[in-house]
Amino acid sequence: MLYLQVLLNGLVLGGLFACIAAGFSLVWGVLNVINILHGSFIVLGAYAAWYAYGILGIHPFLSIILVAPLFFALGYAIQSLLLNRVIAAPVLLTLTLTFGLDLMLSNAMLAAFKADFRKLVLDPPLGLLSVGNIVLPVDRLAAMALALLLTLLLYLVLSRSRTGRAIVAVRMDREAASLMGVNVSRTYAITFGIGALMAGVAGPLIAMIFPISPLTGPVYLGKAFVVCVLGGLGSVPGAMVGGLVLGVVESFAALWFGPEHAITVSFALLIAMLVFRPTGLIGRKGYE
Amino acid sequence: MSIIRSSLAAVALAFALPATAQDVIRIGAPLPITGPLSPEAIKQQRGYDLWAETANKAGGVRVGNRRMRVEIVYVDYQSNTPRAVQAAERLITQDKVNFLFSPFGSGAAKAASTVSEKYQVPTIAATASSAQVYDQGYKFLFGTFTPNDTLTEPLADIVKSKAPGVQRVAVLARNDLFPLAIAQEMEKSAKARGMRVVYSEKYAIGTLDHASALTQIKAQAPHWIFATGYTNDLVLMRKQMADLKIEAPLVTMVAAPAYQEFIDSAGKGAENITSAAWWHPAVRYKGTDIFGTTEAYVQAFKAKYKADPDYAEASASAAGAVLQMAIEQAGTIDRQKVRDTLANLNVTTFWGVVKFGPTGQITSLEPPVFQIQGSKPVVIHPPQVKQGELRLGVQ
Amino acid sequence: MLTPDTAARRDTVIAVVVFALIALVPFVADTYWLRLGTTVLMYAVLALSWNFIGGMAGYPSFATAAFFGLGAYAGGVAQKFGVGMWLAWGLAGLLALLFAAALGLALLRMRGHYFAIASLVVAEVLREIINSATDLTGGGMGLNLPLRAGQSVEAQADFFFWTMLGLAALAMAATLAVQHGRLGFGLRCIQQNESAADMLGVNTTATKTSAFALSAVFTGIAGAVYASWVNYIEPPDVFDVLYSVKPIVMVLLGGAGSVFGPLIGAGVFLGLEEIVWRRFLEVHSGVLGLLIVLLVLFLPSGLAGIARRRAKASTP
């Protein structure tokens, strides 16, 4: 029974992880850019949901719809105005650039929102779901369901729409895609916009469950890293698998090794994956 | 060589603050004004500023037969401990402060105390409770918090006498200096009274999910859950306890329940949570310090900040008030003499009886134990200031 | 055109003169400025160290914080068990070197982003391991190092300044030796095209591992000296990711690939940081971020790049 509860806890958490990482993985896979801003985007989205709920009474589920276009525009702008200048530069420069941008955003949020933790408390609360000895909070379940839904939507967009196919083409072979008439720069900007969008919509989901503060950005970024490596870069199904696996691994690691080691175990897993299977658990097939 | 000297001096002057006036006592206060600990810095600043204002309004501190204003010099160390040490040194060597208030928390206080000891500047730590902070044999460091076991021992006593059926204890601590140290003390206090610690773990800083730990705790069916961390950790933990339907006769959390922010964020979940702190607005002391009685202090605080003071804010004011008493008793601002006076001080203040032990840490406080009842903290110990009785049962 | 030998000799002369001048600073500066200077020298060591693996070999390593923290705790724990300070520092460097060599076996097979991430994560894992070994390291409660008895404040400030200077000089000497020697040649080949270098007969594994080990040994000693200098360390301080990031920014600022770039970058960066700390209370990390962004967008070859362009412009 204990194991079942731990497993379910892990899966619920994992669904959230998948949503957190999907956009990040896409940007990394397609643009070969590690977007350090990703964690801060999530936090910004969470604050948007918190203010929307507190001041305007808009439920976080609805905030998702409001937040999406705003973050897409933000991401598109950042890529086309700033990142595109160094897109051909060595990995180190792009990484340092997004790091610098993140410092600016993070500081701006600290100055605007202060470091105190906020908690979005739903009124009335969504309650608990009890089946026998197993207890699951409904708000987490709802967040997980939405997270997986959004990730699925992303996958459908990538595999069905024209823009989506262009993105995948650029991922597979930039030169060939260009020869086929794909506007690579615009595709890059759209992809980054989508990455920002996914981070932004993860925000309200996060806000329902965890306390919000500009300081938590790096924590979400760290999760995104591990999920990416587990699932394979640029692959949305990979992000789903990676997210669920990470959630379960962290849950059981906390059980078997103690809560202070849970994060360490996930990082050790990351290193092991990088050494032995860098293409991820589901390998290259994932991003078709 | 002289060109280098004078140009360096010119550069230094460009950065340095104006030279100290004859009638001002300057006290350095390095605080984490930015960064994760900034909410704590705000509390400290409120406490220090209230004291400085009150002292100056009364004409200043009496030094021999003249009066001197106090000025607090703040420096931001960005919640970064090495910077706290640097800030302390800058305050002493560049800003030429006479005395120092420690940076926030046991870790930074300990780190910065090496600097104040090197320069022999009397330093008062308003938020350092762990005995490890004071174990270097330093002579110039003083602290207004009693050691952690003075919080856990009375609490364990009350539990033992009012709830003798409590046998199984679960402990979950944040892996950080103060939260870990006090959790270790709690385990000792519990074991000393024959209770059994059925779960004892620490969680990493930045943990966002306590579900696994709490699931394990639930499986142990403890009578008493003891959790430590900062406000956000404990709010999250309390919510997840409710999510997993964990119930216990007793839940103690340190130190968040003393803050209004915790009660606001946890809502109904805060009901019947117990805690202990070094001070509470409900205690009643008749002090000979600048504030006088505890009620007078609370009123002065309310008048300026429109809220009740919590123990962190009061401790900062106490640090100032105690320093003032030592200066006035010594009749001078000579550092060695003030230091010696502090070491031999034995006075009553709004904060409580103040007497420092041989390590510099205060030994004379009787920290109150309280419980949140009806969304308000109610003191249940010591008997002289008790406002209510211990209630069992946390859902 | 300078031949390689003349270039080596010129660089060595410049280095000796610069370091000799810096050694005179304790005679004119007070303890606060000495503290700042010691910090600049420490970051110079970190930047010079990173340059071996990041600048010369082209492998973007974020492991600097891991080596620094490891060295700090190695030095601290050794002294806790009664080992003398100098010996403890040496042990710290040795441990860092061995650790890097072993780590390199696993990590140096990766390239680009993967290598960067893995090296970043190593610091996190190390930090948590040290955090949990509470009995040995004090865990979250930190580790105390004994104060140096019988030395005045000024004498201690001088001592640590000259010690960091000496360490920086060693790192500089190693940089010069490698840059103008066969190892440097091998590293430059690897940076340009690793497979080609392999085919040309360069032992890429040994070369890369040497660079990685060099990037660790001075950093580890710097960590141990730091611990003795501040007398109290805790895991979040010495494994702070900024110890990995700032040296990189410094090298970029000074100009990657140039011998004196790391040194110049460290000085300019920390000078800017000090000014910002005093003036912009609330937004200092934002200003730092802005500097980094401007640096990457407009000055990717660093200050040395400006100098080189000026030199080119003035030649007919």
Side-chain angles (χ1 to χ4, degrees):
Chain A
M1 262 305 117
L2 174 69
Y3 281 9
L4 186 55
Q5 175 81 61
V6 172
L7 177 65
L8 287 173
N9 289 343
L11 286 173
V12 169
L13 203 56
L16 275 170
F17 287 164
C19 185
I20 289 176
F24 182 75
S25 181
L26 195 63
V27 167
W28 189 352
V30 175
L31 281 84
N32 201 26
V33 167
I34 290 191
N35 181 15
I36 304 284
L37 285 156
H38 196 83
S40 298
F41 282 158
I42 296 177
V43 173
L44 192 58
Y47 272 111
W50 188 77
Y51 278 110
Y53 189 68
I55 301 179
L56 301 168
I58 301 177
H59 196 279
F61 293 163
L62 289 174
S63 290
I64 293 174
I65 307 178
L66 297 170
V67 150
L70 291 172
F71 276 82
F72 180 80
L74 179 64
Y76 194 97
I78 291 182
Q79 205 285 337
S80 41
L81 296 173
L82 295 171
L83 285 174
N84 218 22
R85 291 159 155 266
V86 292
I87 204 72
V91 154
L92 187 62
L93 282 181
T94 54
L95 190 55
T96 311
L97 179 62
T98 56
F99 182 83
L101 286 169
D102 183 50
L103 272 182
M104 292 170 66
L105 180 57
S106 182
N107 201 171
M109 288 200 291
L110 259 175
F113 305 127
K114 306 289 171 231
D116 327 39
F117 281 76
R118 320 255 183 217
K119 185 78 190 69
L120 196 157
V121 183
L122 285 173
D123 184 19
L126 289 174
L128 301 171
L129 182 67
S130 305
V131 178
N133 249 352
I134 307 291
V135 185
L136 287 173
V138 174
D139 54 12
R140 281 197 178 218
L141 274 174
M144 174 212 183
L146 272 172
L148 287 176
L149 185 64
L150 288 164
T151 315
L152 188 65
L153 267 171
L154 178 66
Y155 175 70
L156 287 174
V157 164
L158 284 178
S159 53
R160 302 289 151 86
S161 76
R162 235 187 116 81
T163 319
R165 297 314 292 165
I167 293 175
V168 176
V170 169
R171 163 70 175 106
M172 289 172 75
D173 192 330
R174 196 182 65 194
E175 262 103 44
S178 173
L179 285 171
M180 297 293 286
V182 174
N183 181 339
V184 175
S185 291
R186 210 170 68 98
T187 309
Y188 279 165
I190 293 178
T191 311
F192 198 82
I194 294 180
L197 182 155
M198 289 301 289
V201 302
L205 298 176
I206 296 289
M208 288 203 319
I209 302 187
F210 300 120
I212 314 167
S213 159
L215 308 166
T216 54
V219 179
Y220 299 125
L221 186 65
K223 306 286 184 222
F225 270 134
V226 182
V227 171
C228 273
V229 172
L230 280 178
L233 291 183
S235 156
V236 174
M240 274 206 243
V241 170
L244 291 171
V245 169
L246 179 63
V248 174
V249 164
E250 273 197 8
S251 257
F252 278 100
L255 182 69
W256 287 327
F257 301 107
E260 83 260 34
H261 296 298
I263 303 181
T264 319
V265 167
S266 60
F267 278 142
L269 183 61
L270 172 99
I271 298 184
M273 286 295 295
L274 282 175
V275 173
F276 297 115
R277 208 183 152 80
T279 47
L281 286 171
I282 57 182
R284 305 191 75 84
K285 288 177 51 164
Y287 60 83
E288 243 100 85
Chain B
M1 192 69 89
S2 61
I3 301 178
I4 301 175
R5 243 220 173 88
S6 43
S7 36
L8 275 172
V11 172
L13 261 174
F15 285 127
L17 294 164
T20 50
Q22 279 292 76
D23 60 347
V24 180
I25 305 176
R26 303 177 79 224
I27 308 170
L31 284 179
I33 300 176
T34 57
L37 295 172
S38 55
E40 308 290 347
I42 295 178
K43 291 185 197 290
Q44 298 295 293
Q45 232 174 330
R46 297 199 331 178
Y48 293 140
D49 283 344
L50 180 62
W51 166 67
E53 201 180 270
T54 312
N56 286 336
K57 252 199 282 206
V61 175
R62 242 182 318 109
V63 183
N65 50 14
R66 63 188 172 125
R67 291 201 157 239
M68 294 177 77
R69 276 193 316 114
V70 296
E71 183 192 322
I72 305 193
V73 184
Y74 292 108
V75 170
D76 173 26
Y77 65 85
Q78 303 162 14
S79 302
N80 178 272
T81 303
R83 265 224 192 275
V85 181
Q86 196 184 357
E89 181 148 44
R90 178 176 133 189
L91 283 162
I92 296 174
T93 60
Q94 307 286 295
D95 300 304
K96 306 261 185 278
V97 297
N98 304 94
F99 306 100
L100 211 58
F101 289 138
S102 281
F104 174 81
S106 296
K110 181 164 196 177
S113 65
T114 55
V115 172
S116 44
E117 189 72 12
K118 273 194 225 174
Y119 287 96
Q120 306 208 317
V121 175
T123 302
I124 304 193
T127 51
S129 64
S130 309
Q132 293 94 325
V133 176
Y134 306 93
D135 66 3
Q136 306 264 68
Y138 289 170
K139 296 267 161 275
F140 282 83
L141 179 66
F142 298 92
T144 54
F145 279 179
T146 43
N148 292 328
D149 60 348
T150 60
L151 264 61
T152 59
E153 284 285 294
L155 185 56
D157 273 336
I158 295 180
V159 170
K160 190 86 186 137
S161 61
K162 303 271 196 233
V166 166
Q167 265 300 302
R168 305 163 62 83
V169 181
V171 176
L172 184 58
R174 178 176 152 125
N175 195 2
D176 212 344
L177 183 48
F178 168 63
L180 186 57
I182 196 161
Q184 288 184 337
E185 283 303 324
M186 189 71 246
E187 277 189 53
K188 276 196 241 162
S189 299
K191 286 197 194 139
R193 284 161 185 75
M195 298 181 213
R196 206 155 63 90
V197 177
V198 297
Y199 180 89
S200 167
E201 287 294 344
K202 23 194 211 292
Y203 60 90
I205 301 173
T207 301
L208 285 178
D209 185 74
H210 300 283
S212 269
L214 290 172
T215 307
Q216 279 183 275
I217 290 180
K218 183 174 177 183
Q220 296 290 337
H223 303 123
W224 188 6
I225 301 178
F226 186 82
T228 66
Y230 291 102
T231 309
N232 57 292
D233 301 309
L234 296 173
V235 167
L236 179 63
M237 218 188 279
R238 182 66 192 97
K239 175 169 189 304
Q240 290 195 272
M241 282 170 64
D243 285 347
L244 289 166
K245 275 226 267 223
I246 297 180
E247 296 173 356
L250 270 167
V251 173
T252 305
M253 292 189 163
V254 177
Y259 298 148
Q260 191 58 38
E261 301 91 80
F262 174 82
I263 302 178
D264 292 337
S265 299
K268 280 198 287 255
E271 197 63 17
N272 281 356
I273 294 199
T274 38
S275 186
W278 292 271
W279 182 88
H280 189 280
V283 303
R284 292 286 172 265
Y285 291 102
K286 284 199 175 37
T288 48
D289 58 290
I290 187 80
F291 292 104
T293 64
T294 312
E295 294 113 302
Y297 174 75
V298 176
Q299 262 168 14
F301 193 95
K302 263 211 204 37
K304 187 168 161 80
Y305 297 113
K306 315 280 179 284
D308 273 341
D310 60 43
Y311 71 88
E313 292 155 333
S315 183
S317 300
V322 167
L323 179 63
Q324 177 175 10
M325 291 180 87
I327 294 174
E328 294 187 339
Q329 209 171 81
T332 166
I333 55 171
D334 173 80
R335 286 170 177 169
Q336 184 64 47
K337 295 214 173 75
V338 170
R339 183 261 147 204
D340 293 334
T341 313
L342 278 167
N344 295 310
L345 213 58
N346 189 350
V347 291
T348 309
T349 66
F350 78 89
W351 171 256
V353 176
V354 175
K355 184 162 164 20
F356 298 110
T359 64
Q361 190 169 18
I362 195 175
T363 52
S364 50
L365 286 183
E366 243 197 296
V369 177
F370 60 93
Q371 181 171 42
I372 312 234
Q373 295 175 357
S375 294
K376 283 189 138 0
V378 167
V379 178
I380 56 177
H381 175 87
Q384 303 92 307
V385 288
K386 196 153 88 160
Q387 297 169 318
E389 294 294 336
L390 176 69
R391 280 195 222 157
L392 294 176
V394 178
Q395 275 89 13
Chain C
M1 253 332 288
L2 288 172
T3 65
D5 280 336
T6 353
R9 236 176 296 148
R10 173 204 64 183
D11 286 344
T12 315
V13 169
I14 298 179
V16 169
V17 170
V18 165
F19 277 85
L21 281 176
I22 301 179
L24 297 174
V25 168
F27 296 112
V28 298
D30 72 22
T31 45
Y32 180 73
W33 292 101
L34 274 183
R35 176 178 285 273
L36 197 57
T38 312
T39 307
V40 172
L41 288 168
M42 185 177 86
Y43 274 100
V45 172
L46 266 51
L48 284 165
S49 296
W50 182 84
N51 199 29
F52 289 117
I53 188 72
M56 293 188 207
Y59 273 70
S61 161
F62 281 83
T64 311
F67 301 138
F68 186 79
L70 185 64
Y73 268 95
V77 171
Q79 286 180 73
K80 188 169 118 164
F81 286 113
V83 176
M85 192 178 71
W86 293 96
L87 183 57
W89 291 349
L91 284 174
L94 184 62
L95 183 63
L97 184 131
L98 292 172
F99 178 70
L103 193 64
L105 284 175
L107 261 52
L108 288 168
R109 284 194 268 154
M110 312 173 207
R111 310 251 184 110
H113 275 146
Y114 290 127
F115 177 76
I117 304 304
S119 60
L120 180 68
V121 164
V122 167
E124 297 293 308
V125 173
L126 260 186
R127 190 193 66 213
E128 281 307 319
I129 293 179
I130 298 223
N131 222 352
S132 333
T134 313
D135 294 325
L136 184 67
T137 63
M141 296 188 285
L143 183 67
N144 276 312
L145 283 93
L147 273 188
R148 292 171 64 74
Q151 231 186 4
S152 75
V153 179
E154 287 79 23
Q156 279 192 49
D158 292 344
F159 172 76
F160 280 104
F161 183 87
W162 279 320
T163 306
M164 274 304 178
L165 181 66
L167 192 58
L170 277 175
M172 184 89 242
T175 304
L176 288 170
V178 169
Q179 183 87 330
H180 297 295
R182 197 129 48 106
L183 183 57
F185 176 73
L187 288 170
R188 281 191 292 276
C189 288
I190 290 178
Q191 192 196 54
Q192 301 227 354
N193 189 331
E194 188 160 344
S195 341
D198 201 29
M199 282 194 284
L200 283 175
V202 175
N203 184 343
T204 52
T205 314
T207 311
K208 281 188 293 187
T209 314
S210 310
F212 202 43
L214 275 170
S215 80
V217 64
F218 299 111
T219 308
I221 300 179
V225 174
Y226 171 81
S228 296
W229 182 32
V230 300
N231 302 106
Y232 172 77
I233 54 175
E234 38 182 34
D237 290 337
V238 293
F239 286 104
D240 188 350
V241 70
L242 286 175
Y243 282 121
S244 290
V245 174
K246 284 192 193 175
I248 298 179
V249 178
M250 289 172 195
V251 174
L252 287 178
L253 182 59
S258 75
V259 165
F260 293 102
L263 206 53
I264 299 172
V268 173
F269 183 91
L270 286 168
L272 282 172
E273 208 183 51
E274 179 69 14
I275 296 175
V276 169
W277 184 35
R278 286 174 183 266
R279 304 267 173 224
F280 301 99
L281 207 53
E282 280 239 323
V283 297
H284 51 80
S285 62
V287 172
L288 179 65
L290 183 61
L291 286 172
I292 293 178
V293 171
L294 293 174
L295 177 67
V296 171
L297 288 179
F298 300 115
L299 208 59
S301 23
L303 295 168
I306 303 180
R308 245 178 266 138
R309 259 181 277 148
R310 283 245 179 90
K312 264 203 214 140
S314 61
T315 52

